[in-house]
Amino acid sequence: MASVRAVLIDVDGVLTVSWKPLPGAVEALRAVRDAGLGVVLVTNTTSRSRASVAGSLADAGFPVGAEDVLTAPVATAAHLAGARVALLNSGDVGEDLDGITLVGDDGEETPDVVLLGGAGPEFGYEALNRAFGRLQRGARLVAMHRNLYWRTADGLQLDTGAFLAGLEAAAGVEAEVTGKPSRAFFEAALGRLGAGADEALMIGDDVEHDVLAAQRLGITGVLVRTGKFLPETLERASGAPDHVLDSFADLPALLGLAQ
């Protein structure tokens, strides 16, 4: 751990659940900050802009600002700059989608890209069938993430990956993924901190998309047993995390930091 100087941290399920801080998470992040380590929050959250994410976390006591947050919409906008995009998403992230042109639902216009964000009530038959039609007419399929589910205060709920798999199969296409677990997303996070993969730690509650994806780039992976963590998911995983902690509150001890 002595070589670690950059810490990548998932938000939902690691620092918070339904935007309420998990026990000890605020104090643990302060300890990481006080140690002078670089921090970037890497989140597939698509229901809020990065300013809103940072604001909610700061209101809860976390020492973060908007400049510390890298969201899937921000990474997606950079990837799709100049494209005409049909967006299917639950939540308003328009301010983080600079540089792309959003196409409305009216008419038969075929966009360059069908873009899926986070799932919610908007992912009904009519919307998914419209997306299917546009894919048949040649639009590319891009997804901000392919998470199958996420944890809320009411328990696990379906996410985009459950619908994305059906669209891919029906349209005979494979989606490009711009958020975690894409290599470009992690590389963008490292670039913000000016750190190499061997100097970084990734902490998440999703063993495949957070932890093992980061480890494939040479980043040390830390899985926490909060959020969407399930023992059976860890048992079925394609690899083993470098470290498994009960919660983010245990990170300072792993790093040898004083609290």
Side-chain angles (χ1 to χ4, degrees):
M1 295 293 104
S3 64
V4 172
R5 66 184 190 89
V7 184
L8 283 55
I9 308 166
D10 184 28
V11 176
D12 193 32
V14 177
L15 299 180
T16 66
V17 168
S18 292
W19 301 103
K20 296 184 183 301
L22 287 163
V26 171
E27 295 77 10
L29 186 55
R30 285 180 182 155
V32 171
R33 287 286 208 194
D34 290 345
L37 300 178
V39 169
V40 62
L41 306 184
V42 287
T43 174
N44 278 345
T45 296
T46 56
S47 60
R48 297 183 180 214
S49 68
R50 66 175 177 172
S52 176
V53 170
S56 293
L57 293 174
D59 288 345
F62 290 100
V64 300
E67 68 280 2
D68 300 314
V69 181
L70 177 61
T71 66
V74 170
T76 301
H79 181 68
L80 296 178
R84 294 163 50 258
V85 175
L87 173 65
L88 178 55
N89 182 62
S90 184
D92 184 8
V93 292
E95 67 185 79
D96 285 345
L97 294 176
D98 288 341
I100 66 175
T101 300
L102 294 179
V103 172
D105 293 336
D106 298 334
E108 294 298 315
E109 183 178 4
T110 299
D112 303 315
V113 174
V114 169
L115 174 62
L116 269 59
E122 296 81 359
F123 279 58
Y125 176 82
E126 183 177 350
L128 289 168
N129 193 52
R130 184 184 304 114
F132 174 56
R134 285 168 160 168
L135 293 173
Q136 288 181 297
R137 295 195 297 274
R140 292 160 53 201
L141 179 59
V142 177
M144 296 187 196
H145 62 77
R146 59 187 320 134
N147 298 345
L148 292 170
Y149 52 82
W150 61 301
R151 182 172 293 280
T152 71
D154 298 321
L156 296 179
Q157 297 192 6
L158 284 178
D159 210 341
T160 304
F163 303 95
L164 181 61
L167 274 178
E168 288 177 315
V173 299
E174 183 175 350
E176 303 168 54
V177 178
T178 52
K180 294 177 293 181
S182 75
R183 182 183 188 94
F185 190 82
F186 288 108
E187 289 177 340
L190 293 174
R192 285 186 172 217
L193 300 177
D198 59 344
E199 301 172 305
L201 202 71
M202 172 67 211
I203 303 95
D205 65 330
D206 187 314
V207 63
E208 294 288 351
H209 293 172
D210 291 338
V211 179
L212 298 182
Q215 288 179 196
R216 284 192 285 274
L217 273 71
I219 300 170
T220 299
V222 180
L223 179 68
V224 291
R225 295 188 181 97
T226 53
K228 68 170 67 172
F229 171 83
L230 295 170
E232 56 267 34
T233 303
L234 177 57
E235 291 171 6
R236 297 194 303 264
S238 61
D242 292 317
H243 303 277
V244 180
L245 302 178
D246 285 337
S247 74
F248 185 79
D250 297 322
L251 181 63
L254 177 66
L255 293 171
L257 306 180
Q259 276 188 280

